[in-house]
Amino acid sequence: ARIRVHVEHVGTTACTFRYDMSRLSDGAPVATVKHIVVHADLQKLAKLPFDDELRALLEQHLVSNTVAK
């Protein structure tokens, strides 16, 4: 299988990754998974805003909401 990872959304404290999976033999799409990640302080159980460096890295990979084929 081929798995392509995209950043779909970058918010203040969370981002959404999309994983598009396809068969290697013919490229046919087989699954799409969306994964929301919240940046948090696990000691305080509180959301944290992304710092500028992390936000810039995520935004470099930002794509539209259209499923890649």
Side-chain angles (χ1 to χ4, degrees):
R2 167 173 280 143
I3 302 172
R4 295 181 183 201
V5 181
H6 311 277
V7 177
E8 256 191 9
H9 173 76
V10 179
T12 303
T13 61
C15 65
T16 303
F17 292 100
R18 187 183 75 224
Y19 305 87
D20 294 322
M21 291 157 250
S22 59
R23 283 193 302 246
L24 284 177
S25 60
D26 61 2
V30 295
T32 298
V33 175
K34 289 189 180 184
H35 177 202
I36 298 171
V37 177
V38 177
H39 187 229
D41 179 330
L42 295 179
Q43 297 296 323
K44 297 178 182 177
L45 298 177
K47 298 184 291 185
L48 295 173
F50 291 122
D51 61 40
D52 293 339
E53 183 179 0
L54 181 53
R55 174 177 292 285
L57 286 170
L58 290 167
E59 288 177 346
Q60 286 178 10
H61 301 282
L62 198 57
V63 296
S64 71
N65 290 331
T66 305
V67 174
K69 294 187 179 183

